[in-house]
Amino acid sequence: MLRFAGLALFWSLLTVSTFAAEKKPNVIFILADDQGSVDAGCYGSDDLHTPHMDSLAVNGVRFTQFYSAAPVCSPSRAGALTGRWPVRAGVPSNCSSEKGGGGALPNSEITMAEMFKAAGYTTAHIGKWHIGYTEETMPLAQGFDYSIGHMGGCIDNYSHFFYWNGPNRHDLWRNGKEVYESGRYFPQLMADEASAFIEKNHDKPFFIYYAMNTPHYPYQGEAKWLEYFKNVKYPRNLYAAFIASQDERIGQLLATLDKLSLRNDTIVIYQSDNGYSTEVRAHNGGGNSGPYRGAKFSMFEGGIRLPGIISWPGHLPEGEVRDQMAHACDWMPTLAELTGVALPQTHLDGRSQVAVLKDGKAKSPHADHPLHWQVGKGNGATWAVRDGDWKLIANTRDTEEAGKNQNFKLFLANIAEDPGETTNLTEQHPDIVARLTKLHEQELSP
């Protein structure tokens, strides 16, 4: 009897051990909203408080040439979630912030959530959506098992109302149903929801799309952080307080992983969706593009070259930097390779960065696959191509300072030699202009 009991215990332990070995890593995709190119300590800012964002770089790999999929919210999110250039994914510009309004990621597109769900993951959207405000385009219809957040471009972080276009309207939804949490600080609501989801699903693989409403306007940093930064020049003080409030909640999210001993079993990605805002609603600035020209809405580097970090302790290098080009569309194939899940059977524009992550000397997958951006459609569309060191922009503007706001029909720069894009080389290199224009037309023109 003891022998059989011992065998039963052995097979029980073996089954548990096998399951643990086969359990796929969890994935948390943290997306900041309007965070500037260098607005974290690990990217060089010495006037902000970002210890938890920085910890991801300490425990992971930080890209110095990481690009978002667009310089504005909705296309950027569509590209990151589908692995496809946003215009190809059906989101050429911002989607409506009004229920039933126009513009959305088509339901036919396959999202990262659908990819993970097909592989047995439990999936959650927490935070901002802004890529569809109809029942068939909201998160539950795009691969998410659970959703809590706002469907439009932004909300007041206490009332959860959208105040910036038309009549003021409430925008907070749980699983497609409107809910009311008036007075509850939205960054804290997000952190609480994420922690509860992790607690509930910690024994099986999960995917969380943690899309923050920060540091997008309205700047609503907490009182303690406003006091902490009171001697910082306006509007940087407001922005810095909001960033610190954001960072504190990221710390709470990471603490939940640590409490459940999940940090080494969880891949965490961090990026910003586009450059910092210089809109009047954002006090005309507050963020920082560092050495790069431009900000939100601009195809100059400051609009699209942003923080991009991936952390998976014990599995990927830690505390390392990669200078190779990387793009938000790369996350889907990169995560598929790291987790061993099947990629969707569709054309992807992103390329896996796994070789680069594991070896700092590996060639960028974009050495042979140029990067493309486009916002809008038709002749007036803003677009850019980067092939090697050369980058060509069409129909963009410098949004970093209200006084600059110059429009450029075409702008050519060698990013290796001139990362600040100070000199337009179109007249000196018409052959390169023609070549990059042709690349754009072959890739994205109808």
Side-chain angles (χ1 to χ4, degrees):
M1 181 67 71
L2 287 174
R3 177 172 175 270
F4 288 117
L7 283 172
L9 178 61
F10 170 78
W11 284 113
S12 175
L13 291 173
L14 181 62
T15 301
V16 171
S17 175
T18 302
F19 174 79
E22 292 177 350
K23 182 178 181 290
K24 294 184 181 298
N26 311 306
V27 177
I28 301 178
F29 181 10
I30 303 175
L31 186 61
D33 197 356
D34 293 8
Q35 183 173 349
S37 303
V38 299
D39 281 331
C42 60
Y43 278 92
S45 287
D46 58 7
D47 60 345
L48 299 176
H49 182 79
T50 60
H52 301 296
M53 296 180 215
D54 299 340
S55 75
L56 293 173
V58 170
N59 296 294
V61 178
R62 176 174 66 88
F63 286 99
T64 62
Q65 291 197 80
F66 178 83
Y67 290 97
S68 66
V72 66
C73 297
S74 298
S76 179
R77 289 152 202 277
L81 285 175
T82 64
R84 289 155 58 83
W85 309 137
V87 68
R88 201 193 306 282
V91 186
S93 54
N94 263 349
C95 301
S96 175
S97 290
E98 185 173 3
K99 190 173 188 295
L105 179 69
N107 195 261
S108 57
E109 290 293 320
I110 301 172
T111 68
M112 203 180 283
E114 290 170 302
M115 177 182 81
F116 283 116
K117 188 172 182 176
Y121 281 64
T122 303
T123 59
H125 152 259
I126 298 173
K128 176 173 173 172
W129 185 239
H130 203 198
I131 47 174
Y133 210 156
T134 61
E135 186 175 347
E136 61 271 17
T137 60
M138 286 164 69
L140 294 190
Q142 299 281 26
F144 290 96
D145 298 309
Y146 182 78
S147 171
I148 174 75
H150 58 100
M151 299 299 107
C154 63
I155 53 172
D156 177 271
N157 288 281
Y158 293 96
S159 70
H160 315 136
F161 268 71
F162 181 89
Y163 291 117
W164 295 273
N165 182 358
N168 302 336
R169 51 191 178 269
H170 181 259
D171 184 5
L172 185 63
W173 304 78
R174 177 182 278 111
N175 294 332
K177 305 292 184 183
E178 192 169 13
V179 294
Y180 296 88
E181 299 277 358
S182 183
R184 192 173 173 193
Y185 191 46
F186 190 68
Q188 188 61 55
L189 183 154
M190 285 187 60
D192 292 343
E193 288 280 347
S195 293
F197 182 85
I198 293 169
E199 293 265 9
K200 182 179 179 180
N201 297 283
H202 70 275
D203 59 346
K204 51 192 172 186
F206 59 78
F207 167 66
I208 299 176
Y209 173 47
Y210 193 81
M212 298 181 291
N213 190 47
T214 54
H216 192 290
Y217 62 78
Y219 293 165
Q220 291 176 310
E222 294 171 290
K224 67 177 182 180
W225 293 116
L226 289 166
E227 174 66 21
Y228 183 88
F229 290 105
K230 65 182 180 181
N231 294 322
V232 174
K233 186 178 178 181
Y234 167 86
R236 182 70 168 175
N237 61 327
L238 303 181
Y239 180 90
F242 209 20
I243 284 278
S245 301
Q246 165 187 314
D247 185 80
E248 190 170 358
R249 273 64 193 193
I250 293 171
Q252 292 174 12
L253 180 61
L254 297 177
T256 299
L257 295 178
D258 289 334
K259 181 179 74 171
L260 297 171
S261 300
L262 292 176
R263 183 72 77 96
N264 287 13
D265 300 322
T266 305
I267 301 169
V268 180
I269 286 171
Y270 185 94
Q271 73 157 91
S272 177
D273 66 342
N274 46 248
Y276 77 93
S277 174
T278 55
E279 298 161 89
V280 66
R281 295 167 290 193
H283 302 264
N284 298 307
N288 188 359
S289 294
Y292 310 120
R293 186 176 191 172
K296 181 180 181 180
F297 299 115
S298 177
M299 286 292 184
F300 284 112
E301 294 286 276
I304 54 177
R305 184 165 171 170
L306 305 163
I309 305 169
I310 182 169
S311 174
W312 188 15
H315 302 271
L316 291 176
E318 299 179 37
E320 295 194 10
V321 176
R322 298 290 183 265
D323 297 324
Q324 293 92 329
M325 286 190 293
H327 189 280
C329 287
D330 297 338
W331 292 133
M332 180 178 265
T334 299
L335 288 171
E337 184 172 347
L338 289 175
T339 60
V341 308
L343 277 171
Q345 295 299 305
T346 187
H347 171 85
L348 294 182
D349 296 303
R351 297 290 185 270
S352 174
Q353 292 281 352
V354 171
V356 171
L357 292 173
K358 293 183 175 180
D359 180 2
K361 296 181 180 179
K363 184 173 75 169
S364 168
H366 294 293
D368 303 315
H369 299 277
L371 295 175
H372 293 266
W373 297 266
Q374 181 172 316
V375 174
K377 299 183 82 172
N379 293 333
T382 297
W383 56 267
V385 179
R386 181 163 175 193
D387 184 27
D389 293 336
W390 290 102
K391 179 182 168 192
L392 179 67
I393 305 171
N395 304 319
T396 200
R397 55 197 172 103
D398 181 350
T399 55
E400 190 170 7
E401 295 179 23
K404 284 185 176 178
N405 247 328
Q406 306 148 278
N407 294 309
F408 295 90
K409 184 68 176 174
L410 286 173
F411 193 102
L412 177 70
N414 185 300
I415 300 301
E417 297 176 359
D418 183 19
E421 294 167 297
T422 60
T423 305
N424 189 351
L425 301 175
T426 53
E427 293 185 4
Q428 292 94 317
H429 298 283
D431 53 330
I432 296 175
V433 171
R435 180 172 64 82
L436 295 185
T437 299
K438 185 176 181 179
L439 283 177
H440 162 73
E441 291 172 346
Q442 290 173 336
E443 183 75 9
L444 294 180
S445 291

